[in-house]
Amino acid sequence: MLFNYLIDEGLPSDISFWNNPKFTHAVQLDNITYDTDIWQYARNNDLIIITSDTDFYYRAVASSISPKVVWIRADIIKIKKLNKFIERAWPKVERHLLSRSFIKLKRKK
């Protein structure tokens, strides 16, 4: 699918699944330091925000014009487990993004 993503700085940048041109981590961009910057950059560049931050959930609910958001709820886990979780779930996430603007991705314990 032809989605491109902006990963919030609250998520690790060393997830191997994200080592792909479709994914840009916020730490790679100049002058993108606050949630508002990430939100505007994603809107202006047609990117889907990937975050673990609840602020983006509330912003998406309150906004009439919003970028798509994938909200990852995975508690504190090791990078390797997080990567595996994301890799397994991503095909379903992308299918849902075709018809939804907000996806909550929750890891089962």
Side-chain angles (χ1 to χ4, degrees):
M1 294 180 202
L2 300 175
F3 296 122
N4 290 299
Y5 303 93
L6 178 57
I7 304 162
D8 182 22
E9 77 277 349
L11 287 167
S13 59
D14 55 351
I15 299 291
S16 61
F17 181 76
W18 293 336
N19 189 14
N20 179 313
K22 296 185 340 177
F23 297 92
T24 302
H25 201 282
V27 298
Q28 298 172 294
L29 303 172
D30 293 332
N31 301 319
I32 304 292
T33 53
Y34 300 105
D35 290 350
T36 301
D37 300 329
I38 291 169
W39 186 267
Q40 284 302 118
Y41 189 87
R43 274 187 52 197
N44 294 342
N45 293 282
D46 198 27
L47 300 172
I48 298 166
I49 297 171
I50 303 172
T51 187
S52 61
D53 189 343
T54 57
D55 292 349
F56 286 102
Y57 166 76
Y58 294 112
R59 190 182 291 249
V61 169
S63 180
S64 60
I65 301 172
S66 124
K68 292 184 180 209
V69 175
V70 177
W71 184 29
I72 297 178
R73 308 300 304 149
D75 298 325
I76 299 172
I77 60 174
K78 293 184 178 185
I79 296 291
K80 190 173 183 178
K81 284 186 178 183
L82 181 59
N83 184 68
K84 186 175 260 187
F85 164 64
I86 292 169
E87 191 173 325
R88 284 185 184 154
W90 213 253
K92 186 175 182 180
V93 167
E94 287 200 325
R95 283 194 306 275
H96 286 306
L97 284 169
L98 292 171
S99 60
R100 298 179 189 169
S101 61
F102 188 87
I103 307 292
K104 180 180 177 182
L105 183 58
K106 184 169 173 79
R107 181 177 170 265
K108 295 178 184 175
K109 293 183 181 182

